[in-house]
Amino acid sequence: MPTWRIATNIPMTTWIVLNHESKLQLFNDPRCAKSAVSYVDNAPQTMHALQNNILALLNNIGVMTVSQWHAMPEERRSQLPSDVLYLLRNRIQERMEREREWSKFLETVKTLADGTEQVEFRKLTHHHHFNYHGKETVILGEDRMKHIELVVSNIKALQEAKEEAKENHPIYCVVAAPRQGKSLLLDVLCSSIRYTGTLAVSITYNSATPYTEKDSSLLTCAPRFWARVVYTIANAFGANLGWLSFQDSSFISLLTLDRVLELVKMCLPQYSTKGIVVAADEFSEVLKCLRSNSELQNDQIPLILSSITKPIYSHPCSALIVSGFVVQDPQLLMTASSRPLTMLWLNPAVQSTREQYYPILEELKKRYPKAGTFPFALYEWTKFSPGLLGLWLEMHKATSPILSIAQLNPPVVSTLAKKLERQPSFFAQYWKECFDLKTKDLLGLKCLRKYEQFYSLIHLVPPVNQYLLGFLNPFLVIHRSIRVNYSEAERNVFQKLESAFTTVPWDAHAKGDALEMLVVSALQLRQIHTHSSSFSFSEVLSALCGVLHYPSHLSSLTIGTMGVKFRSTLATGVESFPCHDSSCVNKGEAKPTRNTFCDDKERKEARRIAAIGAIKSHGIIHPTSVMNKGCDIILVLNFEDKSKGCALIIFEAEYFSSTTVLDESTPSTKARMVLEGLLKNPNPLEGCNVSHVCFTLCVTNGANVTYDVASLDQCIKDLKDQGISVSLHSVSTKEQWMSLLSPTLYFALPDIDEDTNFTRPINNSQRIQ
């Protein structure tokens, strides 16, 4: 027969009229967990009759609560029917035994607390301290510190009893992929909150206290949540509890926030007993299992989660902070609580925050003191992900020096590789969505839902233009264990890209070459995945070419609204993606601009013919000659109106360190080199039917690029007389680089904030593989 538990502060006579939620919270028999809902709402008439009889008997003798039952003399109890007395004694006796165990536990922890001078809360993750401006500290980065400041300021507002702060105090959700520093942020955040006088405790559903099915069940989710809090507090006083034995303690089912605050009052009187802040790391494990549990009804998931959130936010200075991987995690929390939700996105480091990570670079340099051993290629691919750098440091301690990407293998890589083994085409589908300029849903939640399983594994980028974007971390893009699942064309692109980052010595020149290869790679990926799509010309220019300097509006170009396509050498009707290797990227010296330093007429004519052939037959031209300035990469687009021929988008990618000042005349000088080269006789564009030339200067120092259009008037006019319109653009800001390279490849930009001379040449035998 199902049994029930009646809390000491609940009148027994209210059982029959309790609502659905309250009955479930009072129900305590694990054997009835799966059938609790049906039992409570559809119990047999005999059970209702038994309850009514028991309550009526107790009411007649003046027993309304459990405490009154204990105060009742034994002779009066014996007057009850034997079956009722047996049932009540068993249930209440079990409850009292649990209460006694809890009291003994409190006394034990109180004894430890009295003998402890300093409370040491257990850390969620490894803390590596660096010397930063003369102070030993962990390195988080400015963006993460802003998250901490936000939460701490909100907690202080609660302490000041501001009504608005209480009403609108949110649930906080830290969102990032594995190895992005979530645990470290929660540790530092809890430490900062404790300084304000409010107790903050970090718990985890991983590592020392791993997730089990009980953590998301109807009856044990909340008690086990608070069990982790009690476990953490007790161990802070040196209790040395083991989770496997502690989670089986008889009093676990009694644990609530009020009991936790009872423990805090006894052992941590220095903290306010008005509430507690709980940071639940890897809480996404609970949410993921709740979403996938087919046995739970739709209304039960909010009930389970509200059993945690409701008590927390009923106390004035309490708050819940959870960590998760995907957008669906916080969305599930929002359905279970009327509280607002604040998303704390852990961004990859960007140029503006790179300086804060100098100590990490210095630490790595110390660990690789021998000339020629610093794995700069690995550093370039992981530098924007603090969690991966932290993993590198940890692995370096435990193993031999980590020199290559293949050696650095966090769990997310192996998990993604396994998923791709089951669905090899998934990358191709994902990349096509990313690079299809007409897929507007990429900027909306529809795309996120479509790729929900994929987004649970990849790095999440913070909101851009009020939309949620998620893109692959560059480390994952280049890792060999998942590259095997790319198409042949994609593998070729990333292989060349990785080669660019293993050039030695790693100086400013090598970084400039790597920057060019990034642009080429991004254009190739667009070409691979959008060769069959059509876009308006102005749409392509807006996406790839950053800021428009001339003319004032693209609408002034008669061809702006015309459709264009990326070129493909693949025959019409073939389904698979074309392999853009030597057939699409011209590695020779073919170039439409003239080499004014070459006096050999035959050589000049050969170059002109090669340039014309390249423009006629190739979609991307990446010449290798260093003699021609102002033209690093050429993208050739075909107009759908064949009478308009094609357009040339010419990119000049210039590597600048953050301290380099861009000369005001540089943009105009570079553009003039290109435009004048196109006007030389014999005509380098002869027979190519070019309708438009777009010149785009790309710089890495965020400089404000300006063109002296007046100095270019004659070139523009002469080209116009030949039926060729001209536009001038520039790419310099983070957002513009993201748009050109795609957010994925942007994060692999060569680092511009560090000394370029710290590396030494690597011998061929030591070359990174």
Side-chain angles (χ1 to χ4, degrees), residues 13 91 111 153 207 257 441 599 610 615-616 653 666:
T13 52
R91 296 276 54 111
T111 302
S153 64
S207 186
L257 175 54
D441 281 345
D599 294 327
I615 293 173
K616 287 181 176 181
T666 297

Side-chain angles (χ1 to χ4, degrees), residues 76-136:
R76 291 189 63 194
R77 293 182 189 173
S78 61
Q79 297 174 7
L80 293 170
S82 59
D83 56 343
V84 172
L85 184 60
Y86 176 79
L87 182 61
L88 288 174
R89 278 178 172 169
N90 280 350
R91 296 276 54 111
I92 294 176
Q93 183 62 30
E94 288 179 11
R95 171 61 178 255
M96 292 309 300
E97 289 177 359
R98 294 173 184 177
E99 293 285 359
R100 282 193 292 269
E101 288 297 317
W102 171 245
S103 297
K104 289 166 63 174
F105 178 80
L106 287 179
E107 289 300 322
T108 301
V109 178
K110 179 66 166 61
T111 302
L112 291 171
D114 292 340
T116 303
E117 296 182 1
Q118 187 174 1
V119 183
E120 290 288 343
F121 285 95
R122 186 173 293 176
K123 296 180 176 63
L124 293 172
T125 188
H126 170 74
H127 287 214
H128 196 95
H129 288 81
F130 300 89
N131 187 296
Y132 186 61
H133 295 312
K135 180 181 178 182
E136 290 293 316

Side-chain angles (χ1 to χ4, degrees), residues 317-483:
C317 291
S318 292
L320 176 63
I321 308 166
V322 300
S323 68
F325 297 159
V326 293
V327 178
Q328 283 72 21
D329 291 341
Q331 285 177 340
L332 190 60
L333 276 175
M334 289 177 67
T335 63
S337 174
S338 58
R339 287 278 160 181
L341 189 79
T342 295
M343 305 283 284
L344 305 178
W345 298 87
L346 299 194
N347 310 346
V350 294
Q351 293 176 3
S352 59
T353 60
R354 280 296 301 148
E355 181 181 358
Q356 299 150 50
Y357 296 94
Y358 280 168
I360 295 178
L361 177 60
E362 292 301 319
E363 177 78 13
L364 288 170
K365 288 163 64 176
K366 290 178 183 177
R367 296 192 178 200
Y368 297 90
K370 296 181 181 179
T373 61
F374 188 87
F376 56 81
L378 178 57
Y379 178 70
E380 286 297 327
W381 285 109
T382 62
K383 68 189 177 186
F384 289 111
S385 303
L388 290 176
L389 285 175
L391 175 64
W392 187 358
L393 290 168
E394 290 181 49
M395 290 183 66
H396 186 94
K397 283 184 177 180
T399 64
S400 57
I402 307 300
L403 299 175
S404 70
I405 290 173
Q407 290 176 275
L408 194 59
N409 190 23
V412 66
V413 172
S414 57
T415 303
L416 183 56
K418 291 178 182 177
K419 179 178 285 292
L420 290 171
E421 287 176 3
R422 298 190 298 270
Q423 194 174 356
S425 63
F426 203 88
F427 257 139
Q429 297 168 12
Y430 171 77
W431 281 108
K432 183 169 177 58
E433 295 285 348
C434 287
F435 292 109
D436 190 340
L437 299 177
K438 279 194 171 181
T439 307
K440 300 303 183 183
D441 281 345
L442 177 62
L443 300 178
L445 291 177
K446 289 184 180 179
C447 185
L448 285 176
R449 294 191 185 103
K450 182 177 180 180
Y451 289 97
E452 178 179 350
Q453 58 176 325
F454 202 49
Y455 278 77
S456 65
L457 298 170
I458 65 178
H459 184 81
L460 286 172
V461 180
V464 178
N465 297 329
Q466 298 183 351
Y467 292 103
L468 297 175
L469 294 176
F471 289 90
L472 287 174
N473 184 292
F475 173 83
L476 298 180
V477 170
I478 209 70
H479 204 282
R480 280 182 173 78
S481 64
I482 61 174
R483 193 195 302 164

Side-chain angles (χ1 to χ4, degrees), residues 247 304 658 679 755:
Q247 67 179 338
I304 292 172
S658 57
L679 291 167
D755 180 6

Side-chain angles (χ1 to χ4, degrees), residues 561-582:
T561 58
M562 291 186 177
V564 293
K565 285 188 175 183
F566 286 80
R567 282 189 174 178
S568 172
T569 57
L570 194 66
T572 304
V574 177
E575 296 283 334
S576 60
F577 294 126
C579 177
H580 295 284
D581 188 3
S582 58

Side-chain angles (χ1 to χ4, degrees), residues 30 33 205 210-225 228 243-244 247-249 252 286 289-290 293 304 308:
Y205 285 83
Y211 167 84
T212 66
E213 289 184 0
K214 293 181 180 179
D215 291 314
S216 58
S217 74
L218 192 63
L219 301 176
T220 57
C221 180
R224 288 175 64 83
F225 176 89
R228 283 174 166 80
W243 175 248
L244 290 179
Q247 67 179 338
D248 292 330
S249 301
I252 293 295
V286 176
C289 290
L290 287 177
N293 190 343
I304 292 172
I308 295 174

